[in-house]
Amino acid sequence: MKKLSKILSNIKFMFSYSWKIGPSNLICALFEIIIETAEPFLLLILPQCIIDALVYGAPWSKVLFHTLLYIGVFALCKIIRIIHNASSAHIINGCDVKNSLSYSSDFLGMDYENLENDELRNINQRVAGNVRANAFVYEVFVPTVTNILKFIGYTYIIATLHPLLILFLLGLVFLNSYISKKTEKINYEFEPVTARFQRKQSYLFGTMIGFDWAKEVRINKADTWLHEKHRKVTEEYMNENIKLQKKHLPFNILSSVISFSETFVTYVYCALMAITGSITIGSFSVYVGAIANFSSSLNAVVQSFIHNSYVMKRIDEYHDYRERIKPVHESTDPENSPVLDNAPAIEFVNVSFRYPGTDFDVLKNVSLKIEGGKRLAIVGYNGAGKTTLIKLLCRLYEPTEGEILYNGINIRDIRYKDYMDILSVVLQDFKLFAFPVWENIILNGKMDEERLEYCIDKCGLNSKVASLPKGVNTSIGREFDEGGIEFSGGEGQKLASARALYKNGKISIMDEPTSALDPIAEYELYNRFDQIIMNNTALYVSHRLASAKFCDKVAVFADGRIIEEGTHDQLMNKNGVYCEMFNKQAQYYREEAGI
């Protein structure tokens, strides 16, 4: 009963989901059931009248009437099917688009750390292709109901010939159902292999044709290297597919033997009945067709139930997937979020963190405080844990131990959406979107032309924007606009800074976004950004020290810990790691920057 209850619950969910995606789709499906059920019976029975009229010498007028009736019904069925297909095509495509949007929405809302979970990505690949509204309606609901109705109709026809034939056919169908169950299980177990291959193949194919990689591929002659990787992945999949086909082979042979036995017995029996005069020649064609269709429809019914049992498993996987990808903040967001003051104080209290699936801490018992409206420089060599600290502050991950405080309040006690609103971040690996310049700056914010111009000016993009053919309306990249342009690395970093400035969050963060700039340009960008964020609390992350001198505090990271902390002057006087780093880099910008 528990299993049945779960199945009914899944069916109810899929009908509800399908109705939500597209109510008209279910109406089209019901109409298709009527067409698919009625047409084969009409086209099976009507020829009997024509054949019997010809064989038994009926008047030509009767033969002509039955012939025209058959032609008319045949033509009407085709016209109805054409009209139905034309009207439903748009609805079905629309539902597929809505379904895709639903899945992409789930993906966009997923917690950042889940994006790195290989198991979840494989499940996403699997359920996204199988748990769809149209897949359920046209691959589960319509075939199952249609074949059940056909089975009932063919059973009635065959019963008028001889009831024992039904028992014989049921035995063959039982054997076929055993085969179907085995092959469906084999296919289900092969799905993870397919999902894994599709992910790899999609990445490699996208890399080979993608514009983002085009320069790297050509300059480094990586085409052969990528092609070889694609060949190996495809070969690996084909080898697995051969194993799959070998598992299928004995069942395919057995299925062919069953099909031959059914055809031989039914044709011989019906032929003897026609020779002895027990049935007419026209009835012979009806019974032979009914028997063949009986087996195929019953096989289809059995296979549908076997297939649907695996569909239910996929729906269970989908429910599990939906539960696992629910953003943490959805269940932990407080009902009442505290007031988020200007220039907040930020404090890390005994924070440790390890990435999911690893067994070592990237951050180790870090305690650090920055007063409201102050500037903190986070420095250290690559791999020291600086960017990980920012990921925690931005709630891309949650600390493994310890807590992060906003004016003394754990940031987990702040409504997630409200907290995101106060962050203005320029990431190390920032991205530009294939849309106009102005959209890249404001993103989902409200358009304020005066503020847009202000941000472009303050981030040093005036001359670049003035040179563009359509100004701020010029697209970045040529994915959607042949007149689009490419930004250099430094220009892109300035645009990313303008984006953060436009958002005007209370906490400003620059996480090593200046790698494409020379030390002098980096220093100037940091200085300019620092002046225009005014009283915001700011964190500057870098392995270069351009931002350190004008910050109120410097924290030096190494191996996931803070090894030095203080002002620039204090750390220089200490003559430790920071002093050594600064002196090594000073030759690049001391004279030009005046520091």
mmCIF file of all heavy atoms in Angstrom, residues 123-151:
data_model
loop_
_atom_site.group_PDB
_atom_site.id
_atom_site.type_symbol
_atom_site.label_atom_id
_atom_site.label_comp_id
_atom_site.label_asym_id
_atom_site.label_seq_id
_atom_site.Cartn_x
_atom_site.Cartn_y
_atom_site.Cartn_z
ATOM 1 N N ILE A 123 22.757 13.938 -11.608
ATOM 2 C CA ILE A 123 21.315 13.754 -11.415
ATOM 3 C C ILE A 123 20.554 14.810 -12.203
ATOM 4 O O ILE A 123 19.534 14.509 -12.842
ATOM 5 C CB ILE A 123 20.948 13.838 -9.907
ATOM 6 C CG1 ILE A 123 21.551 12.648 -9.155
ATOM 7 C CG2 ILE A 123 19.431 13.841 -9.727
ATOM 8 C CD1 ILE A 123 21.348 12.711 -7.657
ATOM 9 N N ASN A 124 21.052 16.038 -12.191
ATOM 10 C CA ASN A 124 20.420 17.106 -12.967
ATOM 11 C C ASN A 124 20.380 16.747 -14.446
ATOM 12 O O ASN A 124 19.367 16.939 -15.122
ATOM 13 C CB ASN A 124 21.176 18.419 -12.762
ATOM 14 C CG ASN A 124 20.697 19.515 -13.692
ATOM 15 O OD1 ASN A 124 21.213 19.705 -14.792
ATOM 16 N ND2 ASN A 124 19.701 20.250 -13.259
ATOM 17 N N GLN A 125 21.495 16.221 -14.956
ATOM 18 C CA GLN A 125 21.565 15.832 -16.368
ATOM 19 C C GLN A 125 20.528 14.750 -16.675
ATOM 20 O O GLN A 125 19.912 14.743 -17.733
ATOM 21 C CB GLN A 125 22.965 15.304 -16.674
ATOM 22 C CG GLN A 125 23.220 14.984 -18.140
ATOM 23 C CD GLN A 125 23.478 16.211 -18.981
ATOM 24 O OE1 GLN A 125 24.137 17.128 -18.535
ATOM 25 N NE2 GLN A 125 22.933 16.242 -20.184
ATOM 26 N N ARG A 126 20.315 13.852 -15.710
ATOM 27 C CA ARG A 126 19.406 12.733 -15.918
ATOM 28 C C ARG A 126 17.948 13.165 -15.809
ATOM 29 O O ARG A 126 17.142 12.872 -16.689
ATOM 30 C CB ARG A 126 19.725 11.640 -14.898
ATOM 31 C CG ARG A 126 19.282 10.265 -15.312
ATOM 32 C CD ARG A 126 20.085 9.162 -14.652
ATOM 33 N NE ARG A 126 19.934 9.081 -13.225
ATOM 34 C CZ ARG A 126 20.910 9.261 -12.357
ATOM 35 N NH1 ARG A 126 22.116 9.552 -12.775
ATOM 36 N NH2 ARG A 126 20.701 9.166 -11.065
ATOM 37 N N VAL A 127 17.597 13.855 -14.735
ATOM 38 C CA VAL A 127 16.188 14.191 -14.529
ATOM 39 C C VAL A 127 15.727 15.289 -15.471
ATOM 40 O O VAL A 127 14.553 15.335 -15.856
ATOM 41 C CB VAL A 127 15.903 14.607 -13.060
ATOM 42 C CG1 VAL A 127 16.239 13.476 -12.115
ATOM 43 C CG2 VAL A 127 16.643 15.881 -12.672
ATOM 44 N N ALA A 128 16.645 16.176 -15.878
ATOM 45 C CA ALA A 128 16.255 17.258 -16.783
ATOM 46 C C ALA A 128 15.764 16.708 -18.115
ATOM 47 O O ALA A 128 14.905 17.299 -18.765
ATOM 48 C CB ALA A 128 17.429 18.207 -17.020
ATOM 49 N N GLY A 129 16.285 15.543 -18.523
ATOM 50 C CA GLY A 129 15.859 14.960 -19.792
ATOM 51 C C GLY A 129 14.677 14.035 -19.675
ATOM 52 O O GLY A 129 14.013 13.734 -20.662
ATOM 53 N N ASN A 130 14.389 13.555 -18.457
ATOM 54 C CA ASN A 130 13.346 12.548 -18.283
ATOM 55 C C ASN A 130 12.113 13.038 -17.538
ATOM 56 O O ASN A 130 11.006 12.593 -17.832
ATOM 57 C CB ASN A 130 13.925 11.331 -17.547
ATOM 58 C CG ASN A 130 14.911 10.562 -18.404
ATOM 59 O OD1 ASN A 130 14.563 10.035 -19.438
ATOM 60 N ND2 ASN A 130 16.170 10.512 -17.976
ATOM 61 N N VAL A 131 12.311 13.901 -16.556
ATOM 62 C CA VAL A 131 11.159 14.395 -15.795
ATOM 63 C C VAL A 131 10.734 15.733 -16.390
ATOM 64 O O VAL A 131 11.068 16.803 -15.901
ATOM 65 C CB VAL A 131 11.509 14.533 -14.295
ATOM 66 C CG1 VAL A 131 10.273 14.932 -13.502
ATOM 67 C CG2 VAL A 131 12.066 13.225 -13.767
ATOM 68 N N ARG A 132 10.011 15.632 -17.507
ATOM 69 C CA ARG A 132 9.514 16.805 -18.204
ATOM 70 C C ARG A 132 8.015 16.656 -18.412
ATOM 71 O O ARG A 132 7.500 15.548 -18.541
ATOM 72 C CB ARG A 132 10.208 16.983 -19.567
ATOM 73 C CG ARG A 132 11.698 17.214 -19.486
ATOM 74 C CD ARG A 132 12.303 17.382 -20.873
ATOM 75 N NE ARG A 132 12.225 16.154 -21.660
ATOM 76 C CZ ARG A 132 11.470 16.003 -22.733
ATOM 77 N NH1 ARG A 132 10.693 16.995 -23.153
ATOM 78 N NH2 ARG A 132 11.460 14.863 -23.404
ATOM 79 N N ALA A 133 7.330 17.785 -18.476
ATOM 80 C CA ALA A 133 5.871 17.752 -18.651
ATOM 81 C C ALA A 133 5.496 17.022 -19.926
ATOM 82 O O ALA A 133 4.651 16.111 -19.932
ATOM 83 C CB ALA A 133 5.320 19.174 -18.662
ATOM 84 N N ASN A 134 6.115 17.373 -21.045
ATOM 85 C CA ASN A 134 5.781 16.733 -22.324
ATOM 86 C C ASN A 134 6.183 15.267 -22.344
ATOM 87 O O ASN A 134 5.496 14.437 -22.948
ATOM 88 C CB ASN A 134 6.456 17.473 -23.484
ATOM 89 C CG ASN A 134 5.715 18.733 -23.844
ATOM 90 O OD1 ASN A 134 4.574 18.921 -23.434
ATOM 91 N ND2 ASN A 134 6.341 19.606 -24.593
ATOM 92 N N ALA A 135 7.306 14.942 -21.713
ATOM 93 C CA ALA A 135 7.732 13.546 -21.659
ATOM 94 C C ALA A 135 6.695 12.716 -20.918
ATOM 95 O O ALA A 135 6.367 11.597 -21.330
ATOM 96 C CB ALA A 135 9.096 13.438 -20.986
ATOM 97 N N PHE A 136 6.182 13.235 -19.829
ATOM 98 C CA PHE A 136 5.170 12.512 -19.061
ATOM 99 C C PHE A 136 3.873 12.386 -19.854
ATOM 100 O O PHE A 136 3.294 11.304 -19.954
ATOM 101 C CB PHE A 136 4.893 13.228 -17.732
ATOM 102 C CG PHE A 136 3.736 12.624 -16.960
ATOM 103 C CD1 PHE A 136 3.906 11.435 -16.279
ATOM 104 C CD2 PHE A 136 2.498 13.244 -16.947
ATOM 105 C CE1 PHE A 136 2.850 10.860 -15.578
ATOM 106 C CE2 PHE A 136 1.434 12.682 -16.258
ATOM 107 C CZ PHE A 136 1.613 11.490 -15.567
ATOM 108 N N VAL A 137 3.436 13.485 -20.458
ATOM 109 C CA VAL A 137 2.150 13.484 -21.171
ATOM 110 C C VAL A 137 2.196 12.589 -22.395
ATOM 111 O O VAL A 137 1.309 11.756 -22.611
ATOM 112 C CB VAL A 137 1.761 14.933 -21.569
ATOM 113 C CG1 VAL A 137 0.548 14.918 -22.496
ATOM 114 C CG2 VAL A 137 1.454 15.760 -20.327
ATOM 115 N N TYR A 138 3.244 12.733 -23.219
ATOM 116 C CA TYR A 138 3.264 12.041 -24.515
ATOM 117 C C TYR A 138 4.061 10.738 -24.529
ATOM 118 O O TYR A 138 3.968 9.973 -25.489
ATOM 119 C CB TYR A 138 3.810 12.986 -25.588
ATOM 120 C CG TYR A 138 2.855 14.119 -25.876
ATOM 121 C CD1 TYR A 138 3.054 15.370 -25.323
ATOM 122 C CD2 TYR A 138 1.713 13.911 -26.655
ATOM 123 C CE1 TYR A 138 2.160 16.409 -25.553
ATOM 124 C CE2 TYR A 138 0.818 14.935 -26.889
ATOM 125 C CZ TYR A 138 1.039 16.185 -26.338
ATOM 126 O OH TYR A 138 0.144 17.197 -26.559
ATOM 127 N N GLU A 139 4.847 10.488 -23.483
ATOM 128 C CA GLU A 139 5.601 9.243 -23.431
ATOM 129 C C GLU A 139 5.093 8.303 -22.342
ATOM 130 O O GLU A 139 5.473 7.135 -22.318
ATOM 131 C CB GLU A 139 7.090 9.546 -23.205
ATOM 132 C CG GLU A 139 7.738 10.326 -24.346
ATOM 133 C CD GLU A 139 9.165 10.748 -24.026
ATOM 134 O OE1 GLU A 139 9.778 10.128 -23.127
ATOM 135 O OE2 GLU A 139 9.667 11.704 -24.667
ATOM 136 N N VAL A 140 4.246 8.810 -21.450
ATOM 137 C CA VAL A 140 3.695 7.988 -20.372
ATOM 138 C C VAL A 140 2.170 7.947 -20.440
ATOM 139 O O VAL A 140 1.574 6.894 -20.668
ATOM 140 C CB VAL A 140 4.148 8.514 -18.983
ATOM 141 C CG1 VAL A 140 3.498 7.710 -17.867
ATOM 142 C CG2 VAL A 140 5.665 8.449 -18.865
ATOM 143 N N PHE A 141 1.547 9.106 -20.279
ATOM 144 C CA PHE A 141 0.083 9.167 -20.179
ATOM 145 C C PHE A 141 -0.604 8.731 -21.477
ATOM 146 O O PHE A 141 -1.423 7.799 -21.475
ATOM 147 C CB PHE A 141 -0.324 10.590 -19.791
ATOM 148 C CG PHE A 141 -1.817 10.819 -19.794
ATOM 149 C CD1 PHE A 141 -2.653 10.070 -18.988
ATOM 150 C CD2 PHE A 141 -2.385 11.793 -20.620
ATOM 151 C CE1 PHE A 141 -4.025 10.280 -18.992
ATOM 152 C CE2 PHE A 141 -3.744 12.009 -20.635
ATOM 153 C CZ PHE A 141 -4.573 11.255 -19.822
ATOM 154 N N VAL A 142 -0.292 9.382 -22.591
ATOM 155 C CA VAL A 142 -0.962 9.086 -23.869
ATOM 156 C C VAL A 142 -0.743 7.634 -24.308
ATOM 157 O O VAL A 142 -1.720 6.925 -24.605
ATOM 158 C CB VAL A 142 -0.515 10.068 -24.972
ATOM 159 C CG1 VAL A 142 -1.012 9.609 -26.339
ATOM 160 C CG2 VAL A 142 -1.043 11.467 -24.682
ATOM 161 N N PRO A 143 0.497 7.126 -24.375
ATOM 162 C CA PRO A 143 0.694 5.739 -24.814
ATOM 163 C C PRO A 143 0.010 4.718 -23.903
ATOM 164 O O PRO A 143 -0.566 3.738 -24.385
ATOM 165 C CB PRO A 143 2.216 5.556 -24.779
ATOM 166 C CG PRO A 143 2.773 6.929 -24.832
ATOM 167 C CD PRO A 143 1.794 7.791 -24.117
ATOM 168 N N THR A 144 0.075 4.948 -22.582
ATOM 169 C CA THR A 144 -0.516 3.987 -21.648
ATOM 170 C C THR A 144 -2.024 3.906 -21.832
ATOM 171 O O THR A 144 -2.591 2.810 -21.993
ATOM 172 C CB THR A 144 -0.181 4.375 -20.196
ATOM 173 O OG1 THR A 144 1.236 4.423 -20.031
ATOM 174 C CG2 THR A 144 -0.765 3.361 -19.223
ATOM 175 N N VAL A 145 -2.706 5.042 -21.826
ATOM 176 C CA VAL A 145 -4.165 5.054 -21.967
ATOM 177 C C VAL A 145 -4.583 4.536 -23.343
ATOM 178 O O VAL A 145 -5.507 3.719 -23.473
ATOM 179 C CB VAL A 145 -4.722 6.483 -21.749
ATOM 180 C CG1 VAL A 145 -6.224 6.519 -22.028
ATOM 181 C CG2 VAL A 145 -4.437 6.939 -20.330
ATOM 182 N N THR A 146 -3.902 4.965 -24.396
ATOM 183 C CA THR A 146 -4.233 4.538 -25.763
ATOM 184 C C THR A 146 -4.099 3.029 -25.917
ATOM 185 O O THR A 146 -4.998 2.365 -26.463
ATOM 186 C CB THR A 146 -3.315 5.246 -26.776
ATOM 187 O OG1 THR A 146 -3.484 6.657 -26.666
ATOM 188 C CG2 THR A 146 -3.658 4.824 -28.198
ATOM 189 N N ASN A 147 -3.006 2.479 -25.444
ATOM 190 C CA ASN A 147 -2.782 1.039 -25.603
ATOM 191 C C ASN A 147 -3.738 0.208 -24.751
ATOM 192 O O ASN A 147 -4.107 -0.909 -25.155
ATOM 193 C CB ASN A 147 -1.329 0.690 -25.272
ATOM 194 C CG ASN A 147 -0.375 1.114 -26.376
ATOM 195 O OD1 ASN A 147 -0.581 0.798 -27.545
ATOM 196 N ND2 ASN A 147 0.668 1.853 -26.021
ATOM 197 N N ILE A 148 -4.131 0.710 -23.597
ATOM 198 C CA ILE A 148 -5.131 -0.002 -22.785
ATOM 199 C C ILE A 148 -6.464 -0.061 -23.536
ATOM 200 O O ILE A 148 -7.113 -1.112 -23.610
ATOM 201 C CB ILE A 148 -5.307 0.679 -21.416
ATOM 202 C CG1 ILE A 148 -4.082 0.409 -20.532
ATOM 203 C CG2 ILE A 148 -6.567 0.169 -20.711
ATOM 204 C CD1 ILE A 148 -4.087 1.160 -19.217
ATOM 205 N N LEU A 149 -6.882 1.055 -24.125
ATOM 206 C CA LEU A 149 -8.138 1.087 -24.883
ATOM 207 C C LEU A 149 -8.062 0.177 -26.115
ATOM 208 O O LEU A 149 -9.017 -0.538 -26.445
ATOM 209 C CB LEU A 149 -8.461 2.530 -25.301
ATOM 210 C CG LEU A 149 -8.792 3.496 -24.157
ATOM 211 C CD1 LEU A 149 -8.980 4.914 -24.697
ATOM 212 C CD2 LEU A 149 -10.062 3.052 -23.424
ATOM 213 N N LYS A 150 -6.932 0.206 -26.807
ATOM 214 C CA LYS A 150 -6.755 -0.679 -27.965
ATOM 215 C C LYS A 150 -6.813 -2.150 -27.528
ATOM 216 O O LYS A 150 -7.434 -2.995 -28.192
ATOM 217 C CB LYS A 150 -5.408 -0.403 -28.636
ATOM 218 C CG LYS A 150 -5.349 0.887 -29.442
ATOM 219 C CD LYS A 150 -3.957 1.022 -30.064
ATOM 220 C CE LYS A 150 -3.835 2.297 -30.870
ATOM 221 N NZ LYS A 150 -2.475 2.460 -31.439
ATOM 222 N N PHE A 151 -6.152 -2.453 -26.436
ATOM 223 C CA PHE A 151 -6.134 -3.823 -25.928
ATOM 224 C C PHE A 151 -7.545 -4.326 -25.642
ATOM 225 O O PHE A 151 -7.898 -5.464 -25.996
ATOM 226 C CB PHE A 151 -5.263 -3.890 -24.670
ATOM 227 C CG PHE A 151 -5.406 -5.178 -23.904
ATOM 228 C CD1 PHE A 151 -4.910 -6.360 -24.419
ATOM 229 C CD2 PHE A 151 -6.042 -5.190 -22.671
ATOM 230 C CE1 PHE A 151 -5.037 -7.555 -23.717
ATOM 231 C CE2 PHE A 151 -6.178 -6.379 -21.962
ATOM 232 C CZ PHE A 151 -5.677 -7.556 -22.485
#
